[in-house]
Short mmCIF file of all heavy atoms in Angstrom, two decimals:
data_model
loop_
_atom_site.label_atom_id
_atom_site.label_comp_id
_atom_site.label_asym_id
_atom_site.label_seq_id
_atom_site.Cartn_x
_atom_site.Cartn_y
_atom_site.Cartn_z
N MET A 214 6.83 -0.23 6.01
CA MET A 214 5.91 0.87 5.83
C MET A 214 5.66 1.67 7.10
O MET A 214 5.44 2.89 7.05
CB MET A 214 4.56 0.32 5.32
CG MET A 214 3.90 1.13 4.30
SD MET A 214 2.44 0.30 3.63
CE MET A 214 1.47 -0.09 5.04
N LEU A 215 5.69 1.01 8.24
CA LEU A 215 5.38 1.69 9.51
C LEU A 215 6.59 2.39 10.10
O LEU A 215 6.48 3.03 11.14
CB LEU A 215 4.81 0.68 10.49
CG LEU A 215 3.50 -0.01 10.06
CD1 LEU A 215 3.04 -1.00 11.10
CD2 LEU A 215 2.42 1.02 9.76
N LYS A 216 7.74 2.31 9.45
CA LYS A 216 8.95 2.96 9.95
C LYS A 216 8.97 4.47 9.74
O LYS A 216 9.58 5.19 10.49
CB LYS A 216 10.19 2.34 9.31
CG LYS A 216 10.46 0.92 9.78
CD LYS A 216 11.73 0.39 9.13
CE LYS A 216 12.02 -1.02 9.62
NZ LYS A 216 13.22 -1.56 8.97
N GLY A 217 8.33 4.92 8.64
CA GLY A 217 8.36 6.35 8.42
C GLY A 217 7.76 6.76 7.07
O GLY A 217 7.29 5.91 6.29
N LYS A 218 7.79 8.05 6.84
CA LYS A 218 7.16 8.64 5.64
C LYS A 218 7.82 8.18 4.35
O LYS A 218 7.15 7.97 3.35
CB LYS A 218 7.18 10.15 5.71
CG LYS A 218 6.33 10.74 6.83
CD LYS A 218 4.86 10.51 6.54
CE LYS A 218 4.01 11.14 7.63
NZ LYS A 218 2.61 10.82 7.49
N SER A 219 9.15 8.01 4.34
CA SER A 219 9.84 7.58 3.11
C SER A 219 9.41 6.19 2.70
O SER A 219 9.14 5.91 1.52
CB SER A 219 11.36 7.60 3.32
OG SER A 219 11.81 8.91 3.54
N GLU A 220 9.30 5.30 3.69
CA GLU A 220 8.87 3.93 3.41
C GLU A 220 7.44 3.89 2.92
O GLU A 220 7.07 3.14 2.02
CB GLU A 220 9.04 3.07 4.67
CG GLU A 220 10.49 2.81 5.05
CD GLU A 220 11.17 3.98 5.81
OE1 GLU A 220 10.49 4.98 6.12
OE2 GLU A 220 12.37 3.85 6.11
N GLN A 221 6.59 4.73 3.51
CA GLN A 221 5.21 4.82 3.07
C GLN A 221 5.12 5.38 1.66
O GLN A 221 4.30 4.91 0.83
CB GLN A 221 4.40 5.72 4.01
CG GLN A 221 4.20 5.09 5.37
CD GLN A 221 3.57 6.04 6.36
OE1 GLN A 221 2.92 7.03 5.99
NE2 GLN A 221 3.73 5.76 7.64
N ALA A 222 5.96 6.35 1.34
CA ALA A 222 5.97 6.94 -0.01
C ALA A 222 6.29 5.90 -1.08
O ALA A 222 5.73 5.94 -2.17
CB ALA A 222 6.94 8.11 -0.07
N ILE A 223 7.19 5.00 -0.77
CA ILE A 223 7.54 3.95 -1.74
C ILE A 223 6.32 3.10 -2.06
O ILE A 223 6.00 2.84 -3.21
CB ILE A 223 8.72 3.10 -1.23
CG1 ILE A 223 10.00 3.94 -1.21
CG2 ILE A 223 8.91 1.83 -2.08
CD1 ILE A 223 11.17 3.27 -0.50
N VAL A 224 5.64 2.63 -1.01
CA VAL A 224 4.46 1.78 -1.22
C VAL A 224 3.36 2.54 -1.95
O VAL A 224 2.78 2.03 -2.92
CB VAL A 224 3.94 1.24 0.13
CG1 VAL A 224 2.63 0.50 -0.04
CG2 VAL A 224 4.99 0.33 0.77
N GLU A 225 3.09 3.76 -1.53
CA GLU A 225 2.05 4.54 -2.18
C GLU A 225 2.39 4.78 -3.65
O GLU A 225 1.52 4.72 -4.53
CB GLU A 225 1.87 5.87 -1.46
CG GLU A 225 0.73 6.69 -2.00
CD GLU A 225 0.47 7.97 -1.22
OE1 GLU A 225 1.37 8.43 -0.48
OE2 GLU A 225 -0.65 8.50 -1.34
N THR A 226 3.64 5.04 -3.94
CA THR A 226 4.06 5.30 -5.32
C THR A 226 3.92 4.05 -6.19
O THR A 226 3.50 4.14 -7.35
CB THR A 226 5.51 5.83 -5.34
OG1 THR A 226 5.56 7.03 -4.58
CG2 THR A 226 5.97 6.11 -6.75
N ILE A 227 4.26 2.91 -5.65
CA ILE A 227 4.08 1.65 -6.40
C ILE A 227 2.60 1.47 -6.75
O ILE A 227 2.25 1.12 -7.89
CB ILE A 227 4.61 0.43 -5.61
CG1 ILE A 227 6.12 0.49 -5.50
CG2 ILE A 227 4.17 -0.87 -6.28
CD1 ILE A 227 6.72 -0.54 -4.55
N ILE A 228 1.74 1.72 -5.79
CA ILE A 228 0.28 1.56 -6.01
C ILE A 228 -0.19 2.55 -7.07
O ILE A 228 -0.93 2.19 -8.00
CB ILE A 228 -0.48 1.73 -4.68
CG1 ILE A 228 -0.14 0.56 -3.74
CG2 ILE A 228 -1.98 1.80 -4.92
CD1 ILE A 228 -0.60 0.76 -2.31
N GLN A 229 0.22 3.80 -6.96
CA GLN A 229 -0.18 4.81 -7.94
C GLN A 229 0.32 4.47 -9.33
O GLN A 229 -0.42 4.61 -10.32
CB GLN A 229 0.33 6.20 -7.52
CG GLN A 229 -0.37 6.76 -6.31
CD GLN A 229 0.26 8.06 -5.84
OE1 GLN A 229 1.34 8.44 -6.27
NE2 GLN A 229 -0.42 8.75 -4.93
N LEU A 230 1.56 4.04 -9.43
CA LEU A 230 2.14 3.68 -10.72
C LEU A 230 1.35 2.53 -11.33
O LEU A 230 0.97 2.59 -12.52
CB LEU A 230 3.61 3.27 -10.56
CG LEU A 230 4.29 2.70 -11.80
CD1 LEU A 230 4.39 3.77 -12.88
CD2 LEU A 230 5.68 2.17 -11.42
N ALA A 231 1.08 1.49 -10.55
CA ALA A 231 0.32 0.36 -11.08
C ALA A 231 -1.05 0.81 -11.56
O ALA A 231 -1.48 0.43 -12.67
CB ALA A 231 0.18 -0.71 -9.99
N HIS A 232 -1.74 1.59 -10.77
CA HIS A 232 -3.08 2.04 -11.18
C HIS A 232 -3.03 2.88 -12.44
O HIS A 232 -3.88 2.74 -13.32
CB HIS A 232 -3.73 2.83 -10.03
CG HIS A 232 -4.15 1.95 -8.90
ND1 HIS A 232 -4.51 2.44 -7.67
CD2 HIS A 232 -4.27 0.59 -8.80
CE1 HIS A 232 -4.84 1.46 -6.87
NE2 HIS A 232 -4.69 0.32 -7.53
N ARG A 233 -2.03 3.74 -12.57
CA ARG A 233 -1.92 4.57 -13.79
C ARG A 233 -1.65 3.73 -15.02
O ARG A 233 -1.97 4.13 -16.15
CB ARG A 233 -0.84 5.62 -13.62
CG ARG A 233 -1.28 6.74 -12.72
CD ARG A 233 -0.29 7.84 -12.69
NE ARG A 233 -0.89 8.98 -11.98
CZ ARG A 233 -0.47 10.20 -12.10
NH1 ARG A 233 0.53 10.48 -12.91
NH2 ARG A 233 -1.05 11.16 -11.43
N LEU A 234 -1.04 2.56 -14.82
CA LEU A 234 -0.77 1.64 -15.94
C LEU A 234 -1.90 0.62 -16.11
O LEU A 234 -1.75 -0.31 -16.90
CB LEU A 234 0.57 0.92 -15.70
CG LEU A 234 1.80 1.83 -15.74
CD1 LEU A 234 3.06 1.08 -15.33
CD2 LEU A 234 1.99 2.44 -17.13
N GLY A 235 -2.98 0.80 -15.37
CA GLY A 235 -4.15 -0.08 -15.51
C GLY A 235 -4.00 -1.42 -14.82
O GLY A 235 -4.67 -2.37 -15.18
N MET A 236 -3.17 -1.48 -13.80
CA MET A 236 -2.95 -2.72 -13.05
C MET A 236 -3.56 -2.65 -11.67
O MET A 236 -3.73 -1.58 -11.11
CB MET A 236 -1.45 -2.98 -12.88
CG MET A 236 -0.69 -3.12 -14.16
SD MET A 236 1.07 -3.25 -13.78
CE MET A 236 1.75 -2.67 -15.31
N LYS A 237 -3.86 -3.82 -11.12
CA LYS A 237 -4.30 -3.95 -9.74
C LYS A 237 -3.06 -4.13 -8.87
O LYS A 237 -1.98 -4.45 -9.36
CB LYS A 237 -5.22 -5.15 -9.57
CG LYS A 237 -6.49 -5.08 -10.37
CD LYS A 237 -7.46 -4.11 -9.79
CE LYS A 237 -8.79 -4.16 -10.55
NZ LYS A 237 -9.70 -3.16 -10.07
N THR A 238 -3.24 -3.95 -7.55
CA THR A 238 -2.13 -4.13 -6.64
C THR A 238 -2.53 -5.07 -5.50
O THR A 238 -3.69 -5.10 -5.08
CB THR A 238 -1.67 -2.79 -6.02
OG1 THR A 238 -2.81 -2.13 -5.45
CG2 THR A 238 -1.05 -1.91 -7.09
N LEU A 239 -1.56 -5.84 -5.02
CA LEU A 239 -1.73 -6.74 -3.91
C LEU A 239 -0.58 -6.55 -2.95
O LEU A 239 0.59 -6.61 -3.37
CB LEU A 239 -1.79 -8.19 -4.38
CG LEU A 239 -2.08 -9.23 -3.28
CD1 LEU A 239 -2.90 -10.36 -3.85
CD2 LEU A 239 -0.82 -9.76 -2.67
N ALA A 240 -0.86 -6.27 -1.70
CA ALA A 240 0.17 -6.11 -0.68
C ALA A 240 0.35 -7.45 0.05
O ALA A 240 -0.59 -8.00 0.57
CB ALA A 240 -0.23 -5.03 0.31
N GLU A 241 1.59 -7.94 0.05
CA GLU A 241 1.92 -9.19 0.68
C GLU A 241 2.36 -8.95 2.14
O GLU A 241 3.00 -7.94 2.42
CB GLU A 241 3.10 -9.89 0.00
CG GLU A 241 2.88 -10.24 -1.43
CD GLU A 241 4.11 -10.86 -2.05
OE1 GLU A 241 5.24 -10.47 -1.73
OE2 GLU A 241 3.93 -11.76 -2.88
N GLY A 242 2.02 -9.87 3.03
CA GLY A 242 2.57 -9.83 4.37
C GLY A 242 1.94 -8.83 5.30
O GLY A 242 2.61 -8.31 6.19
N VAL A 243 0.67 -8.52 5.09
CA VAL A 243 -0.01 -7.57 5.98
C VAL A 243 -0.26 -8.26 7.32
O VAL A 243 -0.90 -9.30 7.39
CB VAL A 243 -1.34 -7.08 5.35
CG1 VAL A 243 -2.08 -6.15 6.28
CG2 VAL A 243 -1.08 -6.44 4.01
N GLU A 244 0.28 -7.66 8.38
CA GLU A 244 0.18 -8.28 9.70
C GLU A 244 -0.42 -7.36 10.77
O GLU A 244 -0.76 -7.82 11.85
CB GLU A 244 1.56 -8.74 10.16
CG GLU A 244 2.16 -9.81 9.27
CD GLU A 244 3.54 -10.23 9.68
OE1 GLU A 244 4.10 -9.62 10.63
OE2 GLU A 244 4.07 -11.18 9.07
N LYS A 245 -0.53 -6.07 10.48
CA LYS A 245 -0.97 -5.11 11.51
C LYS A 245 -2.09 -4.23 10.99
O LYS A 245 -2.16 -3.89 9.80
CB LYS A 245 0.20 -4.23 11.93
CG LYS A 245 1.33 -5.04 12.53
CD LYS A 245 2.50 -4.17 12.91
CE LYS A 245 3.60 -5.06 13.49
NZ LYS A 245 4.79 -4.34 13.74
N LYS A 246 -2.96 -3.83 11.92
CA LYS A 246 -4.09 -2.97 11.60
C LYS A 246 -3.62 -1.65 10.97
O LYS A 246 -4.25 -1.13 10.06
CB LYS A 246 -4.91 -2.71 12.86
CG LYS A 246 -6.20 -1.96 12.61
CD LYS A 246 -6.99 -1.84 13.88
CE LYS A 246 -8.35 -1.22 13.58
NZ LYS A 246 -9.23 -1.25 14.76
N GLU A 247 -2.51 -1.12 11.45
CA GLU A 247 -1.97 0.13 10.92
C GLU A 247 -1.59 0.00 9.44
O GLU A 247 -1.75 0.92 8.66
CB GLU A 247 -0.75 0.60 11.73
CG GLU A 247 -1.05 0.89 13.20
CD GLU A 247 -1.04 -0.35 14.10
OE1 GLU A 247 -0.72 -1.45 13.62
OE2 GLU A 247 -1.39 -0.21 15.27
N GLN A 248 -1.08 -1.18 9.06
CA GLN A 248 -0.75 -1.43 7.66
C GLN A 248 -2.04 -1.45 6.82
O GLN A 248 -2.08 -0.89 5.73
CB GLN A 248 -0.01 -2.76 7.51
CG GLN A 248 1.37 -2.77 8.10
CD GLN A 248 1.95 -4.18 8.19
OE1 GLN A 248 1.25 -5.12 8.53
NE2 GLN A 248 3.24 -4.28 7.91
N VAL A 249 -3.06 -2.11 7.34
CA VAL A 249 -4.34 -2.19 6.63
C VAL A 249 -4.87 -0.78 6.39
O VAL A 249 -5.27 -0.44 5.27
CB VAL A 249 -5.37 -3.02 7.43
CG1 VAL A 249 -6.76 -2.92 6.80
CG2 VAL A 249 -4.95 -4.47 7.52
N LYS A 250 -4.84 0.04 7.42
CA LYS A 250 -5.37 1.41 7.31
C LYS A 250 -4.60 2.19 6.23
O LYS A 250 -5.22 2.84 5.36
CB LYS A 250 -5.29 2.11 8.65
CG LYS A 250 -5.90 3.49 8.63
CD LYS A 250 -5.83 4.14 10.00
CE LYS A 250 -6.38 5.55 9.88
NZ LYS A 250 -6.09 6.37 11.02
N LEU A 251 -3.29 2.16 6.28
CA LEU A 251 -2.49 2.89 5.27
C LEU A 251 -2.72 2.36 3.87
O LEU A 251 -2.89 3.15 2.92
CB LEU A 251 -1.00 2.80 5.61
CG LEU A 251 -0.51 3.72 6.71
CD1 LEU A 251 0.92 3.37 7.10
CD2 LEU A 251 -0.60 5.17 6.29
N LEU A 252 -2.76 1.06 3.72
CA LEU A 252 -2.96 0.47 2.38
C LEU A 252 -4.34 0.83 1.83
O LEU A 252 -4.48 1.05 0.64
CB LEU A 252 -2.73 -1.03 2.43
CG LEU A 252 -1.27 -1.44 2.64
CD1 LEU A 252 -1.19 -2.89 3.10
CD2 LEU A 252 -0.46 -1.20 1.39
N GLN A 253 -5.33 0.90 2.69
CA GLN A 253 -6.65 1.34 2.24
C GLN A 253 -6.60 2.81 1.83
O GLN A 253 -7.19 3.18 0.81
CB GLN A 253 -7.69 1.13 3.37
CG GLN A 253 -8.03 -0.32 3.56
CD GLN A 253 -8.94 -0.55 4.75
OE1 GLN A 253 -8.93 0.21 5.73
NE2 GLN A 253 -9.72 -1.62 4.70
N GLU A 254 -5.89 3.63 2.60
CA GLU A 254 -5.75 5.04 2.24
C GLU A 254 -5.04 5.20 0.89
O GLU A 254 -5.35 6.12 0.12
CB GLU A 254 -4.96 5.80 3.30
CG GLU A 254 -5.71 6.05 4.59
CD GLU A 254 -4.86 6.70 5.66
OE1 GLU A 254 -3.80 7.29 5.33
OE2 GLU A 254 -5.24 6.62 6.84
N PHE A 255 -4.08 4.31 0.61
CA PHE A 255 -3.32 4.35 -0.64
C PHE A 255 -4.08 3.71 -1.79
O PHE A 255 -3.59 3.66 -2.91
CB PHE A 255 -1.98 3.67 -0.49
CG PHE A 255 -1.06 4.30 0.54
CD1 PHE A 255 -0.03 3.55 1.07
CD2 PHE A 255 -1.21 5.59 0.97
CE1 PHE A 255 0.84 4.09 2.01
CE2 PHE A 255 -0.34 6.15 1.91
CZ PHE A 255 0.68 5.40 2.42
N SER A 256 -5.28 3.15 -1.53
CA SER A 256 -6.13 2.49 -2.54
C SER A 256 -5.54 1.20 -3.08
O SER A 256 -5.72 0.86 -4.26
CB SER A 256 -6.45 3.45 -3.68
OG SER A 256 -7.15 4.58 -3.21
N CYS A 257 -4.84 0.46 -2.22
CA CYS A 257 -4.35 -0.86 -2.63
C CYS A 257 -5.58 -1.75 -2.84
O CYS A 257 -6.53 -1.74 -2.07
CB CYS A 257 -3.45 -1.43 -1.54
SG CYS A 257 -2.64 -2.97 -2.02
N ASP A 258 -5.54 -2.52 -3.94
CA ASP A 258 -6.71 -3.31 -4.31
C ASP A 258 -6.92 -4.56 -3.46
O ASP A 258 -8.05 -4.90 -3.11
CB ASP A 258 -6.58 -3.74 -5.79
CG ASP A 258 -6.55 -2.53 -6.69
OD1 ASP A 258 -7.56 -1.81 -6.76
OD2 ASP A 258 -5.49 -2.28 -7.31
N TYR A 259 -5.84 -5.26 -3.13
CA TYR A 259 -5.95 -6.51 -2.38
C TYR A 259 -4.87 -6.55 -1.31
O TYR A 259 -3.75 -6.09 -1.51
CB TYR A 259 -5.75 -7.73 -3.32
CG TYR A 259 -6.73 -7.75 -4.45
CD1 TYR A 259 -6.34 -7.36 -5.75
CD2 TYR A 259 -8.05 -8.18 -4.27
CE1 TYR A 259 -7.25 -7.38 -6.80
CE2 TYR A 259 -8.94 -8.19 -5.33
CZ TYR A 259 -8.53 -7.80 -6.58
OH TYR A 259 -9.42 -7.83 -7.62
N LEU A 260 -5.23 -7.15 -0.18
CA LEU A 260 -4.29 -7.32 0.93
C LEU A 260 -4.27 -8.78 1.31
O LEU A 260 -5.30 -9.44 1.35
CB LEU A 260 -4.76 -6.49 2.14
CG LEU A 260 -5.14 -5.03 1.92
CD1 LEU A 260 -5.61 -4.41 3.23
CD2 LEU A 260 -4.01 -4.25 1.33
N GLN A 261 -3.07 -9.30 1.62
CA GLN A 261 -2.98 -10.67 2.09
C GLN A 261 -1.97 -10.71 3.24
O GLN A 261 -1.02 -9.95 3.26
CB GLN A 261 -2.59 -11.64 0.98
CG GLN A 261 -1.12 -11.69 0.65
CD GLN A 261 -0.80 -12.69 -0.44
OE1 GLN A 261 -1.51 -12.82 -1.43
NE2 GLN A 261 0.30 -13.38 -0.28
#
């Protein structure tokens, strides 16, 4: 996700798709503050 806009777009799109289908999302392998910030901006439900 931190490599660039294309990688971020994939994650954001997965989250949006899940939410539109009534699902929650969980991001695996969160290790950096920058990832947390982006995932919060993308409205990811759970981080681990």
Side-chain angles (χ1 to χ4, degrees):
M214 220 173 55
L215 300 179
K216 290 182 179 178
K218 294 291 183 188
S219 295
E220 290 81 3
Q221 290 172 21
I223 291 170
V224 173
E225 185 176 20
T226 301
I227 292 170
I228 293 167
Q229 289 174 348
L230 173 66
H232 288 167
R233 285 187 171 201
L234 294 172
M236 299 175 205
K237 299 286 186 184
T238 53
L239 183 146
E241 299 178 324
V243 177
E244 298 178 354
K245 298 178 181 175
K246 186 175 186 173
E247 297 83 6
Q248 292 168 320
V249 172
K250 184 178 177 194
L251 282 171
L252 290 163
Q253 288 174 332
E254 286 176 19
F255 298 159
S256 300
C257 187
D258 299 294
Y259 303 102
L260 312 178
Q261 80 179 41

